[in-house]
Amino acid sequence: MRIDLHFTPDTIKQEHLENRVAVVIDVLRASTTICTALKNGCKAIIPCDDLEKARNIHASIGPEAALLCGERLGQKLPGFDLGNSPDEYAPDVVKGMTLIFASTNGSRTLVKTARAALTLVCGFSNLSAMAQFLADEQRDILIACSGKLGVFALEDTLCGGALIERLVKSEGSRVTIHDSNDAARAALQLYNAESRPLLDAISEADHARYLSSLGFAADLKTAASIDAIPIIPQLVEGRIVTMNAVASS
Ligand code: MLT
């Protein structure tokens, strides 16, 4: 099982995705929000890297069956139903609805990795479930951290490192970090060197401090709740659904 990691989607080329399981990470907050929305019964999530496209898809499905969701600069947009706080995605809001999801970085990474052999969504909230799934699959992995506007994000890299650490522990010599992928090596070292509680570690990240300044400090706690939502979100033909729901949908 070969593992590569990219700090941002900008360095990912289509050839990197061939025969790979892409694991998209956006701890603050897209991964956490997507896991929450699926747990709370939304029908599917359609990631969009463009606001106009999102509005058009929303209009074509109709407001009775779809919600327009996402953010720019961390804030809900005018005319949108929901922003990007996991708390907004409560069961009575999202159950049975299709969510058109246009976040700044996470949605972009999802669109960019859609052509991988399999595209999954990971945060700390589904970390162990994801590690177990990947260990069972025994396929080559590309961890796609979303970063922030093309720049390294501490919380995503820590999560990537945590995922690699779990795989190295459970799979031992079956795991190879490719010689040319210092990013995977660095993520693992960063995670292993971190001794503070996870919430403290991610709270000092740039985007965490920004979200706190907007009044979203509670979202950091949700994002740092390890294994709170043990599901595998999978992107299938442009729609994110929970993996065990794929067979039955
Ligand atoms: C994103 O996808 O860019 C993030 O989830 C931004 C946010 O915190 O809302």
Side-chain angles (χ1 to χ4, degrees), residues 21-248:
V21 177
V23 181
V24 172
I25 297 179
D26 185 358
V27 171
L28 298 173
R29 296 167 287 177
S31 295
T32 312
T33 298
I34 287 167
C35 287
T36 304
L38 289 170
K39 179 193 80 171
N40 289 341
C42 77
K43 189 173 175 190
I45 300 163
I46 301 179
C48 278
D49 58 355
D50 178 86
L51 294 178
E52 223 21 67
K53 216 187 286 171
R55 288 191 182 98
N56 290 339
I57 297 172
H58 179 251
S60 71
I61 299 176
E64 56 302 322
L67 296 172
L68 193 51
C69 313
E71 53 64 47
R72 284 297 178 268
L73 299 174
Q75 309 262 30
K76 185 172 97 167
L77 288 151
F80 273 49
D81 299 298
L82 300 174
N84 197 13
S85 254
D87 284 355
E88 293 174 81
Y89 292 70
D92 59 328
V93 178
V94 301
K95 202 168 175 36
M97 301 295 277
T98 296
L99 311 184
I100 320 304
F101 189 75
S103 73
T104 310
N105 301 289
S107 295
R108 196 171 142 245
T109 314
L110 280 156
V111 170
K112 182 133 192 203
T113 56
R115 288 210 200 136
L118 191 60
T119 302
L120 309 173
V121 181
C122 180
F124 285 106
S125 53
N126 63 342
L127 182 66
S128 298
M130 185 62 66
Q132 185 59 58
F133 174 79
L134 295 170
D136 292 345
E137 285 286 300
Q138 290 294 322
R139 292 162 80 174
D140 291 340
I141 299 164
L142 180 143
I143 299 175
C145 296
S146 296
K148 186 173 179 180
L149 299 169
V151 174
F152 172 97
L154 183 67
E155 68 281 7
D156 292 345
T157 309
L158 267 179
C159 187
L163 186 60
I164 297 171
E165 191 261 355
R166 275 166 168 71
L167 288 168
V168 167
K169 253 197 190 138
S170 71
E171 303 308 298
S173 60
R174 281 192 286 193
V175 172
T176 358
I177 295 174
H178 193 247
D179 286 349
S180 64
N181 199 244
D182 278 348
R185 217 168 278 119
L188 179 59
Q189 286 174 16
L190 184 77
Y191 178 72
N192 282 335
E194 185 53 75
S195 56
R196 292 170 292 175
L198 180 61
L199 181 58
D200 294 350
I202 68 169
S203 291
E204 75 172 15
D206 172 49
H207 193 55
R209 284 184 283 114
Y210 176 67
L211 289 173
S212 295
S213 77
L214 296 180
F216 294 128
D219 293 352
L220 310 186
K221 206 168 163 203
T222 307
S225 299
I226 298 178
D227 295 337
I229 311 176
I231 62 167
I232 307 294
Q234 177 188 3
L235 184 63
V236 188
E237 291 167 6
R239 298 155 60 88
I240 305 169
V241 291
T242 304
M243 182 160 287
N244 57 16
V246 175
S248 56

